[in-house]
Amino acid sequence: MTNMALFVLILGSANAQLSTTFYSSSCPKILSTVKSTVQSAISKESRMGASLLRLHFHDCFVNGCDGSILLDDTSNFTGEKNANPNRNSARGFDVIDNIKSAVENVCPGVVSCADILAIAARDSVVILGGPTWNVKLGRRDAKTASQSAANTGIPAPTSSLSQLTTRFSALGLSSNDLVALSGSHTIGQARCTSFRARIYNETNIDTSFASTKQSSCPATSGSGDNNLAPLDLQTPTTFDNNYFKNLVQKKGLLHSDQQLYNGGSTDSIVSGYSTNPSSFSTDFASAMIKLGDISPLTGSNGEIRKNCRATN
């Protein structure tokens, strides 16, 4: 090897970039393998697409997209699964295990759990009728996790617009990205504990919508806490722009959702997406690529886990 080639190699590993072709020679079947497993999971339960998408969000918002959310607690290790935003709420870990097994069968020891999350999130959106994008790959898996960072870093459903804007901005995401990414709430379900205060105490809410939700979410804490309601009233298993139409009608389920359309700086973005589904699709895809770029471990940092739930 020439000195120049060696220099380029060293430089490359120090400054490794994510790339859409990262596994093209080391694991050419990666995309089809992930997609078939995601497809099978969503066929069994359509809500799983939203759950897989959310896992990628909750991973990236805590010390970057590094697979840390997947690590199980042990007697001497505290992971992120029992942090407030994830406990009794984050789900789909078994599907990620299934994908990892399938991927290990075609190319053992090559693909990170962090990359599996990124691909599964994209596939989930596409399978439920949303836009596609080319997922950048080459992330490596963290050997650590942070429950405290998960508690403070993942925006709560009680967040104000300024809290949301500040948090997204800290990760390099604009107000436009915030609104577009919040559009992922066009699929999935939320627990009564996440929207109880909104449906009983808030005034910027459609009254018939509030009373309908009250029938399955009792006012008393501890009663019906885990009862579910769709985040998008009309089409909770189709990735479309109805979420934004709901916000314009004051039918956002979460406090943090309605904050995006409540007389503030993001109202015009919500209005635009509510009438122009293709601009939402385009912006969502771009924002997902930016989300996936948050502080990845690359080069010789981190590891490629054999089991997504435990470090090697």
Side-chain angles (χ1 to χ4, degrees):
M1 185 183 283
T2 66
N3 284 347
M4 189 62 194
L6 188 65
F7 173 72
V8 170
L9 194 68
I10 292 164
L11 192 69
S13 65
N15 252 325
Q17 293 293 310
L18 301 183
S19 139
T20 55
T21 57
F22 188 82
Y23 296 112
S24 55
S25 58
S26 60
C27 191
K29 292 183 178 168
I30 173 69
L31 297 180
S32 57
T33 304
V34 174
K35 183 148 197 180
S36 63
T37 314
V38 173
Q39 180 78 64
S40 145
I42 292 176
S43 308
K44 289 190 191 107
E45 186 203 8
S46 50
R47 180 188 174 206
M48 188 50 71
S51 300
L52 294 174
L53 176 58
R54 186 166 180 255
L55 280 183
H56 181 48
F57 271 93
H58 283 209
D59 183 32
C60 294
F61 264 73
V62 184
N63 301 327
C65 311
D66 61 1
S68 58
I69 192 172
L70 303 173
L71 293 169
D72 281 344
D73 289 2
T74 66
S75 55
N76 54 9
F77 178 85
T78 304
E80 295 163 17
K81 289 183 178 177
N82 283 305
N84 294 330
N86 296 328
R87 190 175 56 248
N88 300 325
S89 160
R91 58 197 298 277
F93 298 110
D94 50 338
V95 176
I96 298 299
D97 293 338
N98 293 343
I99 298 171
K100 179 66 171 167
S101 300
V103 170
E104 288 295 301
N105 282 338
V106 293
C107 36
V110 172
V111 179
S112 67
C113 299
D115 276 348
I116 285 173
L117 280 177
I119 301 167
R122 188 272 312 272
D123 290 348
S124 295
V125 170
V126 173
I127 290 164
L128 295 176
T132 190
W133 60 93
N134 293 324
V135 180
K136 292 201 224 166
L137 300 165
R139 299 168 193 81
R140 288 166 67 84
D141 295 322
K143 299 177 186 180
T144 58
S146 174
Q147 190 177 97
S148 60
N151 279 327
T152 55
I154 298 168
T158 50
S159 300
S160 66
L161 180 58
S162 69
Q163 287 170 322
L164 291 168
T165 309
T166 302
R167 181 64 192 128
F168 275 68
S169 172
L171 297 173
L173 299 166
S174 67
S175 293
N176 223 90
D177 296 326
L178 159 65
V179 178
L181 291 170
S182 297
S184 58
H185 286 178
T186 183
I187 53 174
Q189 310 264 335
R191 293 181 305 146
C192 168
T193 48
S194 302
F195 60 85
R196 177 181 279 130
R198 169 150 168 78
I199 61 173
Y200 286 100
N201 307 334
E202 297 187 9
T203 52
N204 61 341
I205 187 167
D206 177 88
T207 48
S208 64
F209 172 71
S211 55
T212 306
K213 293 300 156 213
Q214 288 169 7
S215 66
S216 62
C217 180
T220 315
S221 183
S223 170
D225 284 1
N226 291 320
N227 292 355
L228 297 171
L231 285 157
D232 163 17
L233 203 57
Q234 288 97 347
T235 51
T237 58
T238 304
F239 200 96
D240 55 26
N241 71 329
N242 278 336
Y243 166 81
F244 299 105
K245 296 178 183 176
N246 296 337
L247 296 186
V248 171
Q249 294 167 4
K250 298 188 177 173
K251 292 177 182 175
L253 183 64
L254 304 179
H255 174 82
S256 54
D257 288 329
Q258 198 59 57
Q259 284 287 296
L260 302 178
Y261 191 86
N262 194 39
S265 57
T266 51
D267 281 19
S268 58
I269 308 172
V270 171
S271 299
Y273 291 158
S274 75
T275 57
N276 190 339
S278 66
S279 76
F280 164 52
S281 289
T282 303
D283 289 358
F284 181 81
S286 305
M288 283 298 292
I289 293 169
K290 282 174 77 172
L291 176 81
D293 279 343
I294 298 171
S295 309
L297 297 171
T298 57
S300 53
N301 294 316
E303 64 181 12
I304 304 296
R305 276 182 226 147
K306 295 184 181 73
N307 168 0
C308 290
R309 295 173 179 267
T311 58
N312 291 344

